[in-house]
Amino acid sequence: MTVTIVMKHKKEKFADPPNFTEKKNYRPSDVKETGLVFVGHEVSEDRTAMNQFLHYDQLYTIRHGWNSKFFIGLLEGKIMGTRCPKCGDSWVPVRTHCWNLNCKLERTEWVEMPLTAKVHTWTVAGWSGRSSLKRLPIILVYAIIGTSKVAMANELHGMNPWDVEFEMPLKIVFKPKDQRVGAVTDFHFEPADFWKPSPMNPEKQRIKDLVTPVYEWVKTLK
Amino acid sequence: MSRKVCIIGGATTPFDYGPTGFESIEGGAAECVKETQQDVPGFSLRDLDLMIYSHFSVHFGHQLAPEWIIHDHLGLVGLPHYRVENGGNTGGSALYAAALAILSGRHDVVGVVGWETMDSVSQSQGSEFIALASDIRYELMVGGIYPIYYAAMANKWMKENHVTEEDVATIAVKNKNNAMDNPKAQWYRNDHKYITVEDVMNSRLISYPIKKLDCSLMSRGVAFLLVCSEEYAKKTNPDQYVTVDGMGLSSCTIRAGDRLNNPGWSERYGPGYPGMTEFAACRYSAEQAYKMAGIRDPLKDIDFGEIHDAFSTSEAQIYKALGLATEDTIVEFIRDERTSMHGDIPMNPGGGLLGYGHPVGATGLMSMIECYYQLAGMIPKKHLSKKTEVPNPECGIVNSHAGTGTSISNFILRRH
């Protein structure tokens, strides 16, 4: 007897798989995926305590999914934001669905933002995570880009740290195209061309005094 | 509410960075339970009917589900257990979970164990691990670690509220010097010195306006808290139990920059609040806790607190979010030393995160335990002197705080 199975419903895919045609590999030669490796240990003189040194190096894939246009925009030297077609709110960093509960998670649309911003608040860092120590001191600002309803964090370059001000106008400057990686580090803020720092004052002097040793300390880092 | 949530005991290991003597997490947990058993002889591990584990980052221990190691080690096989993780508010959230378990009527005796082992990596690597709780796509790679985010928020808050670097430095001085009376505090155990405002002002820049001595301490530490029904409390520790009369848990955006015009907050508090300066989740969770506990005027009704001073600046911001001061009174509130041991509402007599330490998963429990010791009259036994004992306290507040104010809980504890 022959049995014929008839597929009544073709299994539908959630989405067509993306075809990744543009691929770049800029892994430094000293980055190795070793997985888990014990690289040493130490035992106390009285042999009651032991420390073991474990190295772990792992490649992660950050799949940007529906946020991808923002990061692809960075590769192209653009700041892409999103906008809710219902209430009109717009954002960088982006939201793929509206934050206003009345809009019932409306899908947002992509909008290209201007390459200008304004400082909302700021700080001057003299210490940071391991990956950022050599760039210290860092002026970190939260700035509002274009019509965005939110402020975005990034570094402010091209000026003395003690001259940063609230509300100061900024321009967005991208790295040269061949150095971009599609991350927020592809751009930074700089003062708008027409902006001039205000004269020295006690707070600026205080910040200058605080950052002076930081410059010296960074020179000692290997 | 028919059932009451009670705390009848708890203990921490000494908090430290590097060797402490309790260097395995399960060993530390066992020692905390043993200290609690000495304080509460009627308590047996057999009485527990639920264990909740409070741990933030598995990165530090390189061990997924490390609570399974502790639970097994304590001999508690068969008992239900799960872990709570909610950033810096992990401890507060674990207590919230324990309280819900009691309130539901399903459980009567809940043990909460919290820990973090932040000395397994360098300080700068540790900062980066913690910063993985910020939005890594937008913030981590632009030099972002939590002291920097907090500094950007505090800088604007201090300008708007006319609070100076010296003002917040007094908070760092208060908490670190309080810790000098607490033998388990990391500041007592390591740095071991009384400091002045000048010391804070002269310490190295972390991120303006925050200097090194304005910052809490990266730590290794374990804590155990015993939460139960009133029936069990009356039976087991009738003279030294406290009730959790109010609790609130609230949330805010992961990125601090997303708070300028957020409709969720605009609906509650009007446009423009909280901006990047106020801790809305602290205000909202405090309002819930106050309402539940019948607190009308927190400044009058609350005697002291153990609050989340990850930075001296954030303790100042929390004063305002808890309703202890307003934009008009905050400077005076700080300069009048209202929160020092001789003030009318001492904050962080145990040393806080600035002095006791901040092993994230254990931190909120440490705050809870210090608050419990004060209300149960146990400070002379647990601290080195009576200098850090709040006189005849009836009511304390505990505050636990995560992210850039992304999750915050508040609890009102009362003596019985």
Side-chain angles (χ1 to χ4, degrees):
Chain A
M1 193 173 71
T2 307
V3 178
T4 307
I5 299 171
V6 180
M7 295 284 284
K8 282 187 178 175
H9 301 289
K10 191 181 168 189
K11 191 178 174 186
E12 286 190 17
K13 289 176 183 168
F14 181 65
D16 289 329
N19 182 21
F20 292 102
T21 53
E22 181 184 315
K23 298 191 181 193
K24 279 194 178 179
N25 186 349
Y26 29 82
R27 173 191 297 238
S29 59
D30 59 344
V31 173
K32 296 190 170 50
E33 282 166 67
T34 55
L36 295 164
V37 183
F38 285 107
V39 295
H41 68 257
E42 61 190 11
V43 178
S44 64
E45 190 180 12
D46 64 2
R47 304 197 74 76
T48 61
M50 177 173 176
N51 292 328
Q52 206 150 29
F53 305 115
L54 174 67
H55 181 79
Y56 183 41
D57 191 353
Q58 180 64 52
L59 181 74
Y60 285 87
T61 303
I62 301 172
R63 299 186 191 277
H64 285 302
W66 287 351
N67 296 297
S68 294
K69 277 197 176 179
F70 173 77
F71 299 96
I72 294 168
L74 297 176
L75 290 174
E76 296 166 353
K78 295 176 186 168
I79 299 290
M80 298 300 293
T82 55
R83 180 182 168 277
C84 173
K86 272 194 174 174
C87 72
D89 281 1
S90 57
W91 309 271
V92 197
V94 299
R95 289 172 181 265
T96 56
H97 301 78
C98 184
W99 65 1
N100 191 329
L101 299 185
N102 293 335
C103 294
K104 299 186 176 177
L105 296 174
E106 180 76 9
R107 282 293 299 270
T108 57
E109 56 199 22
W110 289 94
V111 285
E112 186 174 345
M113 291 292 191
L115 299 181
T116 54
K118 192 171 72 171
V119 171
H120 181 74
T121 189
W122 55 270
T123 181
V124 178
W127 171 254
S128 190
R130 193 176 159 196
S131 311
S132 305
L133 292 176
K134 288 180 183 171
R135 300 203 308 282
L136 294 171
I138 293 169
I139 313 172
L140 188 92
V141 297
Y142 281 83
I144 297 168
I145 300 172
T147 56
S148 175
K149 288 276 186 182
V150 298
M152 181 167 183
N154 210 327
E155 295 176 22
L156 171 53
H157 296 179
M159 60 184 292
N160 291 321
W162 47 90
D163 282 330
V164 59
E165 291 174 358
F166 293 100
E167 305 293 322
M168 69 178 280
L170 305 172
K171 62 181 178 183
I172 290 169
V173 178
F174 278 88
K175 285 179 179 171
K177 192 164 187 177
D178 60 346
Q179 292 176 25
R180 295 178 204 153
V181 299
V184 288
T185 46
D186 284 353
F187 79 93
H188 60 262
F189 297 113
E190 289 186 13
D193 294 336
F194 58 87
W195 178 83
K196 295 279 180 291
S198 59
M200 204 64 178
N201 62 32
E203 185 183 25
K204 288 185 176 198
Q205 187 60 49
R206 167 73 175 153
I207 297 170
K208 189 174 180 181
D209 293 343
L210 284 167
V211 297
T212 301
V214 177
Y215 286 111
E216 295 305 313
W217 177 72
V218 169
K219 282 182 199 164
T220 67
L221 292 176
K222 285 178 186 168
Chain B
M1 188 192 316
S2 53
R3 281 169 73 85
K4 282 196 170 181
V5 179
C6 300
I7 293 171
I8 61 166
T12 75
T13 61
F15 285 2
D16 217 328
Y17 191 85
T20 64
F22 302 116
E23 286 182 275
S24 66
I25 54 171
E26 70 272 34
E31 292 302 318
C32 293
V33 172
K34 284 177 73 171
E35 185 176 332
T36 306
Q37 285 173 327
Q38 284 164 10
D39 293 336
V40 191
F43 161 62
S44 160
L45 282 169
R46 291 182 193 282
D47 299 339
L48 293 166
D49 56 22
L50 173 67
M51 283 296 289
I52 294 176
Y53 292 92
S54 167
H55 179 55
F56 169 48
S57 174
V58 294
H59 279 72
F60 285 113
H62 203 268
Q63 168 74 57
L64 291 179
E67 62 276 14
W68 296 347
I69 291 176
I70 298 173
H71 191 80
D72 170 349
H73 185 75
L74 295 176
L76 298 174
V77 290
L79 208 66
H81 70 331
Y82 60 88
R83 178 176 136 220
V84 170
E85 188 277 300
N86 206 3
N89 186 22
T90 295
S93 304
L95 176 65
Y96 197 86
L100 291 181
I102 304 288
L103 290 172
S104 73
R106 171 86 180 183
H107 295 282
D108 286 305
V109 189
V110 182
V112 186
V113 169
W115 73 99
E116 215 72 45
T117 55
M118 304 171 84
D119 58 359
S120 60
V121 295
S122 68
Q123 291 259 352
S124 60
Q125 182 66 67
S127 294
E128 211 156 88
F129 273 2
I130 299 166
L132 291 171
S134 62
D135 190 334
I136 65 154
R137 301 165 303 175
Y138 291 102
E139 295 184 318
L140 178 64
M141 297 311 290
V142 290
I145 55 170
Y146 277 101
I148 301 178
Y149 309 142
Y150 270 87
M153 297 166 70
N155 190 22
K156 191 170 176 65
W157 183 87
M158 287 164 67
K159 296 277 187 320
E160 288 176 0
N161 290 277
H162 314 293
V163 171
T164 66
E165 275 186 80
E166 287 86 351
D167 289 331
V168 293
T170 64
I171 294 170
V173 170
K174 166 178 71 70
N175 294 357
K176 288 184 194 288
N177 289 350
N178 282 349
M180 286 298 287
D181 197 37
N182 191 340
K184 284 186 178 172
Q186 190 170 330
W187 184 258
Y188 171 84
R189 294 166 56 76
N190 289 355
D191 297 81
H192 197 78
K193 61 184 176 194
Y194 288 94
I195 60 164
T196 64
V197 168
E198 197 178 11
D199 292 330
V200 180
M201 295 295 286
N202 291 337
S203 61
R204 66 168 288 179
L205 177 69
I206 298 298
S207 196
Y208 182 79
I210 292 174
K211 280 83 58 194
K212 187 178 179 190
L213 292 180
D214 289 304
C215 297
S216 54
L217 305 165
M218 276 208 191
S219 310
R220 166 182 290 262
V222 188
F224 173 70
L225 184 71
L226 188 51
V227 187
C228 64
S229 63
E230 193 170 30
E231 186 185 357
Y232 182 83
K234 282 181 173 170
K235 185 177 77 179
T236 312
N237 199 7
D239 299 328
Q240 284 182 321
Y241 77 88
V242 305
T243 51
V244 181
D245 285 355
M247 61 182 199
L249 175 64
S250 179
S251 57
C252 196
T253 61
I254 179 169
R255 298 184 301 257
D258 284 28
R259 297 170 193 169
L260 306 187
N261 303 281
N262 199 296
W265 290 122
S266 300
E267 282 176 17
R268 289 183 178 90
Y269 296 125
Y273 186 89
M276 277 191 66
T277 52
E278 304 295 344
F279 293 134
C282 186
R283 176 176 170 183
Y284 193 54
S285 58
E287 286 171 1
Q288 293 170 38
Y290 293 166
K291 187 177 176 190
M292 191 171 159
I295 301 280
R296 289 196 178 84
D297 180 349
L299 207 46
K300 279 186 185 164
D301 298 344
I302 299 170
D303 298 318
F304 73 102
E306 290 286 341
I307 63 176
H308 199 97
D309 55 329
F311 306 99
S312 60
T313 49
S314 38
E315 179 163 324
Q317 288 167 286
I318 289 168
Y319 294 158
K320 209 175 151 195
L322 292 179
L324 306 177
T326 64
E327 186 176 339
D328 294 334
T329 61
I330 183 71
V331 172
E332 199 183 354
F333 183 81
I334 297 170
R335 291 181 192 167
D336 287 349
E337 302 180 349
R338 304 277 295 271
T339 61
S340 67
M341 288 314 301
H342 57 263
D344 56 329
I345 184 162
M347 286 292 176
N348 289 318
L353 286 60
L354 283 158
Y356 204 130
H358 188 12
V360 183
T363 301
L365 303 182
M366 172 275 285
S367 302
M368 199 67 62
I369 289 163
E370 281 294 318
C371 188
Y372 165 75
Y373 287 165
Q374 293 283 358
L375 292 167
M378 294 166 72
I379 292 298
K381 181 177 167 187
K382 299 292 185 180
H383 288 188
L384 294 171
S385 75
K386 287 189 163 190
K387 274 193 303 192
T388 45
E389 183 179 37
V390 180
N392 302 310
E394 294 289 336
C395 178
I397 186 167
V398 176
N399 165 276
S400 184
H401 189 124
T404 50
T406 307
S407 174
I408 300 179
S409 57
N410 280 294
F411 299 87
I412 300 295
L413 273 57
R414 286 204 181 96
R415 176 162 74 180
H416 270 261

